[in-house]
Amino acid sequence: MRTGLLFLLFIITYNISFARESADKGTIKGKVLTTDGKPVDGASIQIKGIQGEFVSGEDGVFNVQQIRTGTHTLRVLLIGYAPATLEVTVKKDEVTQVTVQLEVTHQQLNEVTITAGYNKFNKKETDDIARLPIKNIENPQVYTIVTKEIIKEQLATDYNSIFKNIPGAGVPIVYNQGRSALLARGFVTANMIRNSISGFVYTNIDPANLEVLQAIKGPSGTLFNSSQISFGGLFNRVTKKPNEARKGEISYSAGSYNLNRLTFDVNSPLNEEKTVLLRVNGALHSEQSFQDAGFTRSLMLAPSLVYKVDDKLTLLLDVEASTFNATSPIRYAPAKNGKIKNIEDLGMDPKRSFTNNSLDYVTKQFNTFGQINYQINSQWKLQTNFTRTFSTTVGYVSQLIGISDSTLQPSIQKENFPYNGTEIQQNLIGDFKIGKLRNRIVVGFDFYNQRSDRNTPTALLPVINFKRPGAAYNNINADRVDSIAATAKYDIYRTNQSTYSVYASDVINITSKLNVMLSLRADRYVDRGTYRPAFDTASGAFSQNALSPKLGIVYEIVKDKVSMFGNYMNGFNNITGQNFEGTTFKPQQANQWEVGVKLDVLNHKLSSTISYYNIDVSNMTRVDLDHPDFNIQDGTQVSKGLEAEVIANPFSGFNIVAGYTYNDSKMTRSDKSIEGLRPASSGPEHLANFWMSYRLMRGAAKGLGFGIGGNYGSSSFQTNTATFVFNIPSYTIFDATVYYDKPTFRFGVKVDNLTNEKYWSPRLAPQMPTRVTANVTFRF
């Protein structure tokens, strides 16, 4: 009886409290418009102190019901627009009407995770490409940005899989230490740039600290260090930075081949004024190979700190440290005396690794990036960037050398390779007028140094039959390698190179629709040669000077929506050595001209870039036929082609990104063995990619989403000479995902390589068969 009375009293008290709480609430009804009065679909409305977000509809309208009375702070966000903040007072049982106007901005809202039905794959606005605040539509350079939204939607658990979304990137080339490279306009392009300056480490890169991945196309030697890029472009990984929100997430992925992956991302202000901001990202990863041996295990920790000293001065420190333990990826060099000319016909079992888990290596890296921004006044800003990189590899890396159509010889290298890099960069950035002409200018200088030390004996193991290896397969192990390496020759040496550069770039608005970009870089390269401690001597020391100009013209046919552009760009590569007469070689020069069109229409729902380029590389070296022990420098290569990218949001919840590239690359003057032929390193002539996804925006299943994508590459060459050709077949792969995404949690399942396609990398490494990954993420 007493219990019943207590329960009845609790119910009465609860209902009185609930009624009072409900009575003290009201509604906010708002409309989000652009500055020209057009409704904004998919804007995110966040209310301070209230968990979750609200989204504007196609008419720009949003409703927030049952919100407590009092004054609330609303923040309205949408990519491509400056965030709007306003105070709204809610009264009891009343509807408060508000109208919010968003202004276009060049700033990219990287810190915002918006799950609404906007064009979430369209985040083209960034200062990184030109180092200036110019929009994509007025930038004469072509680039692709892979957003964090698409990275999360595709459940990317490794860095290289993100490149599926970049037109023309192709299948990744994974080197012995886990580092990777891909294609850009027919040239092999390594991953050497982080936060727009040097970030190259001889190891695997974990994607947990990645905000966006930028692919900047063409020889970009004017604004980026020439020793860090290729003639086809560069890949810039932009890391996550602290912001003023107090939030975090923890995510766990499990999948095929014993994949176990735990990541976390925690962001928080450290003081009430929100002038000190901390963000920490981390990842713990373990996975076995799909082959009979092989594994990867890694740990990454990435803290970053922002200190807003005052309204003018901001300091950033960003650190990324990791350790990576793995077995060497496959690299196969086919036998030149064999009759089989295609990896598919060779009959090598893709599930055989030709290694042993004892033949592993450990890499460690410590990458520090710092930035100082000082706003001198409304027109001028000083920016200082610096980075220190360290990585080291200790262990075994391997290569498989083809002897015949059925035999190979493992070549195992015992590697001890520390690598150190330093880059310091100072920029002065201005936005001012001379007469009626607006000028946006960056002037800077750059110092870069890298030093490496090597200690690398090589052990050649006995030849085995790769189709029927038998007991000999067990001899590929660390004990056998150590016994052979004990009597092998050790080659111990050091390299040390420095680059000193000054540069300037100015975007001049001739009219409101016509702008011209003029850029120039002067570069001094000093190579101290290869130093061998045993003899206390250095050989091959040299120095070179180079100039790299850039010219771009953009005309906006429809202001901020449609533009035509053209560019002339230059890049260079320093070359060691001398010809027979003793003349030092000049730097290789790549000159590109390009024309195209850019679109950003239908309220950012459709963005596209289509261009045609021609890259002419001169000063290439080739064998001097009259003096075979020397080279001459008169070789040329031409790489030309078409690139197209489309990013679309046809209707609410449906997003598409797609790309196509055609590349025609040819050695126009070179050794007779390759003259007139397509270089094997240029990859497939045709490459295509797409990803499309749909998420339910209303109803009981709101948050449920589906995605499907694919990649195609035409046939290519591992080797292509007049005397020997070895082919890599074309490939078509499909991936798919299903997920359920809410403000506080997310579940997802992804299937890679749905059709279990057999395909290979340019190094003839077999690629991953069908793989299933499941993920759960909690946000707080």
Side-chain angles (χ1 to χ4, degrees), residues 193-231:
I193 306 294
R194 179 178 182 266
N195 292 325
S196 299
I197 63 174
S198 172
F200 179 52
V201 287
Y202 270 79
T203 182
N204 180 61
I205 298 169
D206 194 287
N209 192 36
L210 190 66
E211 184 69 41
V212 297
L213 178 62
Q214 301 171 345
I216 306 174
K217 302 300 183 71
S220 305
T222 307
L223 293 177
F224 293 88
N225 191 318
S226 62
S227 62
Q228 303 280 288
I229 64 177
S230 83
F231 294 147

Side-chain angles (χ1 to χ4, degrees), residues 623-643:
V623 174
D624 184 347
L625 297 179
D626 296 326
H627 309 93
D629 292 334
F630 292 87
N631 289 337
I632 57 176
Q633 192 177 39
D634 65 352
T636 57
Q637 178 183 348
V638 173
S639 182
K640 54 188 177 181
L642 176 73
E643 283 192 352

Side-chain angles (χ1 to χ4, degrees), residues 155-214:
L155 294 184
T157 58
D158 66 284
Y159 177 68
N160 293 323
S161 64
I162 299 170
F163 287 85
K164 290 181 177 181
N165 303 289
I166 296 177
V171 179
I173 305 167
V174 182
Y175 296 102
N176 291 335
Q177 303 88 351
R179 59 193 174 95
S180 62
L182 293 105
L183 295 173
R185 299 194 167 178
F187 297 93
V188 174
T189 305
N191 287 288
M192 296 188 176
I193 306 294
R194 179 178 182 266
N195 292 325
S196 299
I197 63 174
S198 172
F200 179 52
V201 287
Y202 270 79
T203 182
N204 180 61
I205 298 169
D206 194 287
N209 192 36
L210 190 66
E211 184 69 41
V212 297
L213 178 62
Q214 301 171 345

Side-chain angles (χ1 to χ4, degrees), residues 502-653:
V502 293
Y503 50 86
S505 182
D506 189 8
V507 177
I508 307 170
N509 281 92
I510 308 300
T511 71
S512 62
K513 292 186 176 182
L514 175 65
N515 73 63
V516 176
M517 175 184 283
L518 301 171
S519 310
L520 181 66
R521 183 188 190 99
D523 193 276
R524 172 69 172 174
Y525 176 79
V526 179
D527 189 327
R528 292 172 176 79
T530 302
Y531 173 74
R532 286 181 164 79
F535 306 101
D536 194 25
T537 59
S539 60
F542 73 103
S543 60
Q544 290 178 337
N545 299 323
L547 289 175
S548 179
K550 178 180 177 181
L551 168 66
I553 301 175
V554 176
Y555 179 71
E556 296 182 54
I557 301 171
V558 180
K559 182 64 178 173
D560 294 326
K561 297 182 185 299
V562 182
S563 68
M564 295 182 64
F565 68 91
N567 67 57
Y568 164 76
M569 296 171 58
N570 175 272
F572 55 90
N573 183 25
N574 296 285
I575 301 297
T576 62
Q578 300 175 336
N579 62 17
F580 180 71
E581 286 78 22
T583 303
T584 302
F585 292 136
K586 301 176 183 178
Q588 286 183 359
Q589 292 282 347
N591 296 287
Q592 171 188 279
W593 62 264
E594 181 177 17
V595 294
V597 61
K598 293 185 178 183
L599 305 175
D600 191 1
V601 297
L602 303 176
N603 195 25
H604 306 291
K605 289 180 178 293
L606 176 61
S607 173
S608 179
T609 302
I610 303 173
S611 70
Y612 176 83
Y613 63 87
N614 183 292
I615 303 173
D616 194 324
V617 183
S618 59
N619 292 341
M620 300 184 74
T621 57
R622 62 188 182 96
V623 174
D624 184 347
L625 297 179
D626 296 326
H627 309 93
D629 292 334
F630 292 87
N631 289 337
I632 57 176
Q633 192 177 39
D634 65 352
T636 57
Q637 178 183 348
V638 173
S639 182
K640 54 188 177 181
L642 176 73
E643 283 192 352
E645 181 187 50
V646 175
I647 307 171
N649 174 216
F651 53 87
S652 182

Side-chain angles (χ1 to χ4, degrees), residues 427-439:
N427 295 317
L428 175 63
I429 302 167
D431 188 345
F432 58 93
K433 284 188 176 182
I434 300 178
K436 295 183 178 181
L437 301 180
R438 182 188 182 190
N439 289 258

Side-chain angles (χ1 to χ4, degrees), residues 87-254:
E87 301 291 326
V88 179
T89 300
V90 177
K91 297 181 179 179
K92 178 181 175 182
D93 297 330
E94 292 186 11
V95 177
T96 303
Q97 302 277 353
V98 296
T99 300
V100 185
Q101 285 193 320
L102 297 182
E103 295 182 358
V104 176
T105 177
H106 67 275
Q107 295 176 345
Q108 183 179 351
L109 306 180
N110 282 333
E111 77 278 8
V112 182
T113 300
I114 305 175
T115 56
Y118 76 118
N119 196 354
K120 60 185 177 182
F121 300 155
N122 182 17
K123 283 191 175 182
K124 285 281 192 177
E125 308 312 328
T126 174
D127 296 353
D128 298 329
I129 311 303
R131 301 189 187 272
L132 288 170
I134 63 174
K135 295 177 291 186
N136 173 53
I137 205 76
E138 57 182 346
N139 192 330
Q141 191 160 6
V142 173
Y143 59 93
T144 292
I145 295 182
V146 184
T147 68
K148 64 180 179 183
E149 283 79 11
I150 197 170
I151 294 172
K152 288 184 177 181
E153 191 168 285
Q154 294 179 352
L155 294 184
T157 58
D158 66 284
Y159 177 68
N160 293 323
S161 64
I162 299 170
F163 287 85
K164 290 181 177 181
N165 303 289
I166 296 177
V171 179
I173 305 167
V174 182
Y175 296 102
N176 291 335
Q177 303 88 351
R179 59 193 174 95
S180 62
L182 293 105
L183 295 173
R185 299 194 167 178
F187 297 93
V188 174
T189 305
N191 287 288
M192 296 188 176
I193 306 294
R194 179 178 182 266
N195 292 325
S196 299
I197 63 174
S198 172
F200 179 52
V201 287
Y202 270 79
T203 182
N204 180 61
I205 298 169
D206 194 287
N209 192 36
L210 190 66
E211 184 69 41
V212 297
L213 178 62
Q214 301 171 345
I216 306 174
K217 302 300 183 71
S220 305
T222 307
L223 293 177
F224 293 88
N225 191 318
S226 62
S227 62
Q228 303 280 288
I229 64 177
S230 83
F231 294 147
L234 62 104
F235 302 118
N236 180 29
R237 58 188 191 274
V238 180
T239 59
K240 297 175 181 177
K241 307 297 191 304
N243 57 72
E244 294 183 3
R246 192 181 303 274
K247 62 180 182 179
E249 71 173 39
I250 185 166
S251 181
Y252 173 71
S253 298

